[in-house]
Amino acid sequence: MTLRSELPLGPLERAFVASLQRLEPDTPEPVLLAAALCCEALSSGDVCLPLQRFASKRPWPEVDVSLPSLAQWRAQLEASPLIGGPDDYAPLTLVGDRLYLARYQAYEQQLAQQLLTRAVDAPDVDKARLGDSLARLFAFNQQSPDWQRLAAAQAVRRRLAVISGGPGTGKTTTVVRLLAALLEQPGGERLAIGLAAPTGKAAARMAEAIRNAKADLPVSDAVKEALPDEARTLHRLLGSRGDSPKVRHDAANPLALDVLVVDEASMVDLALMAKLVAALPPKARLILLGDKDQLAAVEAGAVFAELCEGRGFDSQAATDLQRITGQNVPVETPRSRLGDAVVLLTHSHRFAGDSGIGELARRINGGDAKGTVALLQEGRADLAWNATPTSAALIERLEQGYSTYLQAARQTDPSAAFEAFNGFRALTAQREGAFGVTGINEALEARFKRRLGVPARERWYPGRAVMVRQNDYALGLFNGDIGLCLKTEQGLRVFFEGDEGYRGFAPARLPSHDSAFAMTVHKSQGSEFTEVLLALPEQPSPLLTRSLFYTGITRAKRKVEIWALPARLAEAVNTRAERAAGLAERLALPSAQTRATEEVRAAKPDEPKSDQLSLF
């Protein structure tokens, strides 16, 4: 049979269903619909299709097509030769009430198994020497317990360490000092250590932070020299092959590393994380750094957040850590088999105890919409809220916000221009619309050109800010890099920050790019700006989620200004971006696994879906 032409399916979904029909022409419509919905779910960030989301419902309200009950639907799926179990050879895989494209089920199953194997394999450690190293390296910390010290201890004592913390909690400080402690272990001088991140921008920032932190370390020159100060993107590390899903490094050709540190791990999708873990030698340490509350990867999966579920130190782990670190470790029975491999950094060194931004972040993550509104109405020095935004007023405000930068851009000093540009940044939830990236950039650029006397048709002018959209390894420019156009004796040049100063390029040499006075919150991940203006759309949007709101406001170091209707603000705080996946359940301890399954079954099928890939 064939699917009805009126169904609102994309070309990818239709092509996939057509291929299944060629394999099994008599496939029932509910099975074909499940396959189409599974493919559609993947493009929306879900790893799988939770059947209860659509059972006994219309998948598309505008089309008169309904699906069977959960029991009937499952029976049809189980009877189809197109659908198998985890070890079967079939295009789709059914696990409980979750339907996967076979490749993604394999990614998830493989990743869970390899993480669990790595988590229980403890390397040999000189505990006395480790205690001495940690006491010296973290002597500056007065918090109790000192979670940075505990995270470092676990990263040395385990082959898997997952370290989560919000902005300013010292993730980079922790990792450079834990690497120093690792190098001080017997045989540490022989360790091959790698640094990596999902994007070129994040990799460069990580390497720079570690280089800057070396000088102040209370360690020998030999240890400082052994600390790595270059980082690569994960795709370059693995040896990606263009559009092919295959990579050069895998289990048969592993990476020549003893330790791998991955920064901004919350941005790593399921497929990439599975390939990364598979490419690591079995005895290598893997250290993942990120923020579990930030936006997840653009591609399918929210791996880092799932790894952080069910964390805790049992009594044995707490006793061992107390003996090594001298810290009183709170005991909490873990619900995940990763258990004490996960450490959460809680003390923010960026936001003081009375910080409005810090308190706003806590209320957003707590889902406290009323408290969020109340805080924004208090008139805190580092918070501002425009509850009646208009597009015209927004452009006026942004022109004012960038005035200092435009003044600096009249000079030829890239350093001064970048300092001014990083002093203020406009962030949005989406690309389209008057409150989106495209609309804001077009309106702002028109004003700037009039102010500078530049013809409207001219693309390049002093002060134009751009963001690179694709990696160019020959030029050393990467997706997300920001460039500023300045006037020089050689004409207009676009400058980018580099490891050894600023590099200028003729505009014609740049890879694909967009104007960057406004950028999406997704693109801002990992960046810091002195002040941020966050504009939320006027209309309801599936992009308005708690994680997007939190990520946007925590890009600001000193002040955040929010332009949003009260309804949109509440919508963002109340909406959790839940991505359908099974990794956390695969990692859960048996009793917790049962609870997790019951919670999934009880979840409302019409809960908001996560951020849409097509909009970023």
Side-chain angles (χ1 to χ4, degrees), residues 384-405:
W385 180 30
N386 185 327
T388 56
T390 65
S391 57
L394 175 62
I395 299 304
E396 288 278 356
R397 172 67 185 94
L398 294 180
E399 185 177 16
Q400 175 194 349
Y402 283 116
S403 60
T404 301
Y405 162 66

mmCIF file of all heavy atoms in Angstrom, residues 384-405:
data_model
loop_
_atom_site.group_PDB
_atom_site.id
_atom_site.type_symbol
_atom_site.label_atom_id
_atom_site.label_comp_id
_atom_site.label_asym_id
_atom_site.label_seq_id
_atom_site.Cartn_x
_atom_site.Cartn_y
_atom_site.Cartn_z
ATOM 1 N N ALA A 384 17.362 43.659 33.332
ATOM 2 C CA ALA A 384 16.383 44.599 32.798
ATOM 3 C C ALA A 384 15.376 43.816 31.973
ATOM 4 O O ALA A 384 15.724 42.797 31.368
ATOM 5 C CB ALA A 384 17.061 45.663 31.934
ATOM 6 N N TRP A 385 14.133 44.271 31.953
ATOM 7 C CA TRP A 385 13.083 43.573 31.226
ATOM 8 C C TRP A 385 12.178 44.571 30.532
ATOM 9 O O TRP A 385 11.604 45.454 31.178
ATOM 10 C CB TRP A 385 12.272 42.698 32.178
ATOM 11 C CG TRP A 385 11.147 41.930 31.536
ATOM 12 C CD1 TRP A 385 11.089 41.470 30.257
ATOM 13 C CD2 TRP A 385 9.909 41.536 32.139
ATOM 14 N NE1 TRP A 385 9.920 40.805 30.016
ATOM 15 C CE2 TRP A 385 9.179 40.829 31.165
ATOM 16 C CE3 TRP A 385 9.363 41.700 33.414
ATOM 17 C CZ2 TRP A 385 7.907 40.300 31.427
ATOM 18 C CZ3 TRP A 385 8.111 41.165 33.677
ATOM 19 C CH2 TRP A 385 7.386 40.476 32.696
ATOM 20 N N ASN A 386 12.031 44.429 29.218
ATOM 21 C CA ASN A 386 11.052 45.186 28.447
ATOM 22 C C ASN A 386 9.906 44.230 28.151
ATOM 23 O O ASN A 386 10.032 43.333 27.315
ATOM 24 C CB ASN A 386 11.681 45.705 27.148
ATOM 25 C CG ASN A 386 10.733 46.599 26.368
ATOM 26 O OD1 ASN A 386 9.520 46.404 26.390
ATOM 27 N ND2 ASN A 386 11.281 47.593 25.679
ATOM 28 N N ALA A 387 8.787 44.433 28.849
ATOM 29 C CA ALA A 387 7.653 43.510 28.739
ATOM 30 C C ALA A 387 6.706 43.872 27.605
ATOM 31 O O ALA A 387 5.752 43.136 27.341
ATOM 32 C CB ALA A 387 6.882 43.483 30.055
ATOM 33 N N THR A 388 6.937 44.995 26.921
ATOM 34 C CA THR A 388 6.088 45.414 25.793
ATOM 35 C C THR A 388 6.961 45.730 24.592
ATOM 36 O O THR A 388 7.014 46.875 24.126
ATOM 37 C CB THR A 388 5.235 46.632 26.179
ATOM 38 O OG1 THR A 388 6.113 47.686 26.623
ATOM 39 C CG2 THR A 388 4.247 46.289 27.295
ATOM 40 N N PRO A 389 7.677 44.746 24.077
ATOM 41 C CA PRO A 389 8.631 45.027 22.998
ATOM 42 C C PRO A 389 7.952 45.261 21.650
ATOM 43 O O PRO A 389 6.920 44.664 21.352
ATOM 44 C CB PRO A 389 9.472 43.743 22.957
ATOM 45 C CG PRO A 389 8.543 42.671 23.424
ATOM 46 C CD PRO A 389 7.660 43.312 24.449
ATOM 47 N N THR A 390 8.543 46.138 20.875
ATOM 48 C CA THR A 390 8.162 46.321 19.476
ATOM 49 C C THR A 390 9.428 46.224 18.642
ATOM 50 O O THR A 390 10.522 46.528 19.131
ATOM 51 C CB THR A 390 7.488 47.670 19.232
ATOM 52 O OG1 THR A 390 8.435 48.727 19.481
ATOM 53 C CG2 THR A 390 6.268 47.859 20.133
ATOM 54 N N SER A 391 9.267 45.843 17.384
ATOM 55 C CA SER A 391 10.453 45.674 16.541
ATOM 56 C C SER A 391 11.168 46.999 16.305
ATOM 57 O O SER A 391 12.403 47.050 16.288
ATOM 58 C CB SER A 391 10.057 45.027 15.215
ATOM 59 O OG SER A 391 9.075 45.800 14.547
ATOM 60 N N ALA A 392 10.414 48.082 16.143
ATOM 61 C CA ALA A 392 11.037 49.389 15.906
ATOM 62 C C ALA A 392 11.859 49.817 17.119
ATOM 63 O O ALA A 392 12.998 50.287 16.984
ATOM 64 C CB ALA A 392 9.970 50.435 15.587
ATOM 65 N N ALA A 393 11.274 49.655 18.321
ATOM 66 C CA ALA A 393 12.001 50.032 19.543
ATOM 67 C C ALA A 393 13.217 49.147 19.755
ATOM 68 O O ALA A 393 14.261 49.606 20.240
ATOM 69 C CB ALA A 393 11.067 49.943 20.746
ATOM 70 N N LEU A 394 13.101 47.868 19.372
ATOM 71 C CA LEU A 394 14.230 46.952 19.530
ATOM 72 C C LEU A 394 15.409 47.391 18.666
ATOM 73 O O LEU A 394 16.550 47.413 19.140
ATOM 74 C CB LEU A 394 13.797 45.536 19.148
ATOM 75 C CG LEU A 394 14.901 44.471 19.147
ATOM 76 C CD1 LEU A 394 15.501 44.303 20.537
ATOM 77 C CD2 LEU A 394 14.370 43.138 18.627
ATOM 78 N N ILE A 395 15.153 47.753 17.418
ATOM 79 C CA ILE A 395 16.241 48.185 16.536
ATOM 80 C C ILE A 395 16.871 49.474 17.054
ATOM 81 O O ILE A 395 18.102 49.633 17.012
ATOM 82 C CB ILE A 395 15.729 48.363 15.098
ATOM 83 C CG1 ILE A 395 15.181 47.027 14.562
ATOM 84 C CG2 ILE A 395 16.841 48.873 14.191
ATOM 85 C CD1 ILE A 395 16.183 45.890 14.613
ATOM 86 N N GLU A 396 16.051 50.381 17.579
ATOM 87 C CA GLU A 396 16.589 51.616 18.182
ATOM 88 C C GLU A 396 17.527 51.270 19.335
ATOM 89 O O GLU A 396 18.627 51.828 19.446
ATOM 90 C CB GLU A 396 15.439 52.493 18.705
ATOM 91 C CG GLU A 396 14.599 53.161 17.639
ATOM 92 C CD GLU A 396 15.238 54.433 17.110
ATOM 93 O OE1 GLU A 396 16.303 54.835 17.632
ATOM 94 O OE2 GLU A 396 14.681 55.014 16.164
ATOM 95 N N ARG A 397 17.098 50.355 20.180
ATOM 96 C CA ARG A 397 17.910 49.974 21.344
ATOM 97 C C ARG A 397 19.207 49.300 20.916
ATOM 98 O O ARG A 397 20.275 49.548 21.493
ATOM 99 C CB ARG A 397 17.100 49.035 22.246
ATOM 100 C CG ARG A 397 17.896 48.420 23.384
ATOM 101 C CD ARG A 397 18.327 49.455 24.409
ATOM 102 N NE ARG A 397 19.192 48.872 25.427
ATOM 103 C CZ ARG A 397 20.523 48.869 25.388
ATOM 104 N NH1 ARG A 397 21.163 49.435 24.357
ATOM 105 N NH2 ARG A 397 21.225 48.336 26.356
ATOM 106 N N LEU A 398 19.129 48.447 19.903
ATOM 107 C CA LEU A 398 20.326 47.755 19.448
ATOM 108 C C LEU A 398 21.302 48.707 18.770
ATOM 109 O O LEU A 398 22.526 48.566 18.921
ATOM 110 C CB LEU A 398 19.952 46.606 18.497
ATOM 111 C CG LEU A 398 19.178 45.451 19.134
ATOM 112 C CD1 LEU A 398 18.862 44.384 18.090
ATOM 113 C CD2 LEU A 398 19.954 44.833 20.286
ATOM 114 N N GLU A 399 20.788 49.673 18.044
ATOM 115 C CA GLU A 399 21.682 50.669 17.441
ATOM 116 C C GLU A 399 22.434 51.416 18.530
ATOM 117 O O GLU A 399 23.633 51.671 18.420
ATOM 118 C CB GLU A 399 20.874 51.637 16.584
ATOM 119 C CG GLU A 399 21.751 52.641 15.830
ATOM 120 C CD GLU A 399 20.954 53.551 14.933
ATOM 121 O OE1 GLU A 399 19.715 53.640 15.091
ATOM 122 O OE2 GLU A 399 21.570 54.203 14.062
ATOM 123 N N GLN A 400 21.731 51.741 19.602
ATOM 124 C CA GLN A 400 22.381 52.394 20.745
ATOM 125 C C GLN A 400 23.405 51.449 21.391
ATOM 126 O O GLN A 400 24.513 51.861 21.737
ATOM 127 C CB GLN A 400 21.314 52.792 21.776
ATOM 128 C CG GLN A 400 21.880 53.361 23.065
ATOM 129 C CD GLN A 400 20.835 53.424 24.176
ATOM 130 O OE1 GLN A 400 19.641 53.227 23.942
ATOM 131 N NE2 GLN A 400 21.280 53.693 25.386
ATOM 132 N N GLY A 401 23.031 50.170 21.538
ATOM 133 C CA GLY A 401 23.920 49.209 22.177
ATOM 134 C C GLY A 401 25.230 49.020 21.428
ATOM 135 O O GLY A 401 26.284 48.790 22.043
ATOM 136 N N TYR A 402 25.183 49.109 20.100
ATOM 137 C CA TYR A 402 26.385 48.909 19.284
ATOM 138 C C TYR A 402 27.118 50.213 18.959
ATOM 139 O O TYR A 402 28.089 50.190 18.202
ATOM 140 C CB TYR A 402 26.022 48.193 17.984
ATOM 141 C CG TYR A 402 25.784 46.709 18.157
ATOM 142 C CD1 TYR A 402 24.526 46.159 17.914
ATOM 143 C CD2 TYR A 402 26.809 45.871 18.566
ATOM 144 C CE1 TYR A 402 24.305 44.789 18.076
ATOM 145 C CE2 TYR A 402 26.601 44.509 18.733
ATOM 146 C CZ TYR A 402 25.347 43.980 18.491
ATOM 147 O OH TYR A 402 25.139 42.623 18.661
ATOM 148 N N SER A 403 26.675 51.313 19.517
ATOM 149 C CA SER A 403 27.304 52.601 19.183
ATOM 150 C C SER A 403 28.775 52.642 19.589
ATOM 151 O O SER A 403 29.622 53.167 18.850
ATOM 152 C CB SER A 403 26.531 53.755 19.836
ATOM 153 O OG SER A 403 26.524 53.607 21.250
ATOM 154 N N THR A 404 29.106 52.100 20.755
ATOM 155 C CA THR A 404 30.508 52.082 21.198
ATOM 156 C C THR A 404 31.357 51.250 20.250
ATOM 157 O O THR A 404 32.481 51.631 19.892
ATOM 158 C CB THR A 404 30.605 51.509 22.620
ATOM 159 O OG1 THR A 404 29.830 52.311 23.503
ATOM 160 C CG2 THR A 404 32.056 51.478 23.086
ATOM 161 N N TYR A 405 30.808 50.135 19.808
ATOM 162 C CA TYR A 405 31.550 49.299 18.871
ATOM 163 C C TYR A 405 31.772 50.013 17.543
ATOM 164 O O TYR A 405 32.883 49.989 16.989
ATOM 165 C CB TYR A 405 30.817 47.983 18.630
ATOM 166 C CG TYR A 405 31.290 47.284 17.381
ATOM 167 C CD1 TYR A 405 32.588 46.784 17.289
ATOM 168 C CD2 TYR A 405 30.455 47.178 16.256
ATOM 169 C CE1 TYR A 405 33.044 46.188 16.121
ATOM 170 C CE2 TYR A 405 30.906 46.576 15.094
ATOM 171 C CZ TYR A 405 32.195 46.092 15.030
ATOM 172 O OH TYR A 405 32.657 45.514 13.872
#
